[in-house]
Amino acid sequence: MTKPNISPPPLRNDCFALPAGVNWTPVDDALALLRQRLTVRMGVETLPLEQATGRILAEDVIAKRSNPPLPNTAVDGYGFAGAAPEGPQVMPLHPGRTAAGIPFDGTVPDGHALRVLTGAALPAGVDTVILEEDVTVQDGHIAFHGPLKRGANTRRAGEDVTEGDPVLPAGRRLTPADLALLSATGLAEVSVRETLRVAVLSTGDELVEPGEPAGPGQIFDANRPMLLSLIARIGFQPVDMGRVSDDRDALRDSLNRAAEQADVILTSGGASAGDEDHVSALLRQAGAMQEWRIALKPGRPLALGMWDGTPVFGLPGNPVAAMVCTLIFARPALGLMAGEGWQDPQGFDLPAAFEKRKKPGRREYLRARVRDGRAEVFASEGSGRISGLSWAEGLVEIEDGARHIKPGDMVRFIPYGSFGL
């Protein structure tokens, strides 16, 4: 029998070395593609403030009232008109007082002082306040030492926000502090985007539910609980589509149902080019496969495509790679589609507490945390070490080129909080 004229590929010591002749997509190019092609998908609804925490503003908010609405006192004390020169000062005390919500009705004569309490509107004839701790009161007069500048210990009307000014921009995800600002400036309700629905689907014959009996070769589905929780934590609505076996027809049905129930689909597993990688195969058949080999570690098999008009992120099956790809690619894209705009995660330059040599060609993300002002990385880079995700408090990002990092060298640390976790 004649042997075929073929030879095996050369041995590689680095399983992450770039395969010869393969077109890898740089991380920045993949991100630019998402930013360019995706748009806001969500409608608008009006909600009272008490229901708006965590929602995304659909339009700029304009102040209906100045804050503070009137000049007022910042301290308890005594108010009068004008500056006080250096040296001892004595003023007659005018009868009455002004308090928050109970203003003084009248005018304070020139050269007289009035008792004022914190937050009280300043009456006519008062524009300066002396702290009560600095005052002696006796026989209907006050005495204190100058100098004191005109306007001391007072707040101007509108010094925080002026009526008609923009308060918060469209795309802002509302925080409890934002609700305080909106309330103070006369807003009782706001226009917000409807909540983005994100379907999560796990694929693979090897998967079983946590707690179920696991046979030989089977593993518990770690991705779906992680991704559903992550979606909820960053403020979107998770839609659990369960698990599907490595069957192309079953997967097609699951994708159809997900496209009906959600605005975006996240799948895990089946995103590479193997015989059982049905996610990427179906997206290619649909003519909607955009990119699927990203120059990224961990997570090079990443499918980006559309299914029946719904964006699909085909994540790697490995939980470490699935989470990294979700944070780096899906998180900013979901924000854009939800109406909050594209947001790059905020990173910080910190000295490294580790040493690492990196080859050129792929951007790398290491599970990391900060201790004593230095970035530590997990002891193993193995993408099967799920415990490293829990150990970490963020990621160290290492640029695409070659790098030899030594302890004390500056590296970019991105805390999980920068992604909204």
Side-chain angles (χ1 to χ4, degrees), residues 87-286:
Q89 307 294 321
V90 177
M91 292 182 183
L93 188 58
H94 193 69
R97 71 173 193 171
T98 181
I102 311 174
F104 177 78
D105 185 15
T107 300
V108 178
D110 189 35
H112 287 65
L114 180 75
R115 174 65 169 159
V116 298
L117 301 180
T118 302
L122 298 179
V126 172
D127 58 19
T128 303
V129 175
I130 179 75
L131 277 74
E132 66 176 51
E133 295 91 334
D134 297 333
V135 173
T136 299
V137 182
Q138 185 176 327
D139 299 330
H141 288 72
I142 65 168
F144 62 92
H145 285 282
L148 195 66
K149 293 181 179 180
R150 181 175 185 172
N153 302 311
T154 65
R155 306 184 184 104
R156 301 184 312 276
E159 72 173 26
D160 182 23
V161 179
T162 301
E163 180 182 349
D165 282 353
V167 180
L168 294 173
R172 170 84 173 188
R173 188 180 289 276
L174 292 172
T175 68
D178 292 337
L179 300 194
L181 176 59
L182 295 175
S183 296
T185 52
L187 279 299
E189 59 183 24
V190 286
S191 295
V192 296
R193 293 286 180 182
E194 295 173 343
T195 302
L196 187 77
R197 299 165 303 169
V198 183
V200 176
L201 174 66
S202 289
T203 70
D205 290 333
E206 75 279 14
L207 299 179
V208 296
E209 288 294 301
E212 291 183 355
Q218 291 186 311
I219 59 174
F220 297 116
D221 183 4
N223 282 346
R224 218 167 82 251
M226 174 183 71
L227 294 174
L228 289 168
S229 174
L230 187 152
I231 293 304
R233 282 286 297 270
I234 60 180
F236 305 126
Q237 180 182 336
V239 180
D240 187 358
M241 301 304 301
R243 294 175 293 109
V244 63
S245 62
D246 287 321
D247 177 275
R248 200 160 297 187
D249 291 335
L251 177 59
R252 183 183 291 108
D253 291 341
S254 293
L255 289 174
N256 288 337
R257 288 189 293 106
E260 292 175 355
Q261 299 179 35
D263 307 294
V264 189
I265 303 171
L266 300 185
T267 69
S268 62
S272 193
D275 293 343
E276 300 298 329
D277 292 316
H278 300 297
V279 173
S280 53
L282 283 175
L283 290 175
R284 280 197 303 272
Q285 288 178 8

Side-chain angles (χ1 to χ4, degrees), residues 55-105:
R55 300 296 293 272
I56 298 168
L57 285 175
E59 57 188 33
D60 295 346
V61 178
I62 306 301
K64 291 186 175 181
R65 192 188 197 204
S66 295
N67 182 52
L70 296 170
N72 66 86
T73 174
V75 298
D76 291 343
Y78 298 85
F80 49 87
E86 186 173 358
Q89 307 294 321
V90 177
M91 292 182 183
L93 188 58
H94 193 69
R97 71 173 193 171
T98 181
I102 311 174
F104 177 78
D105 185 15

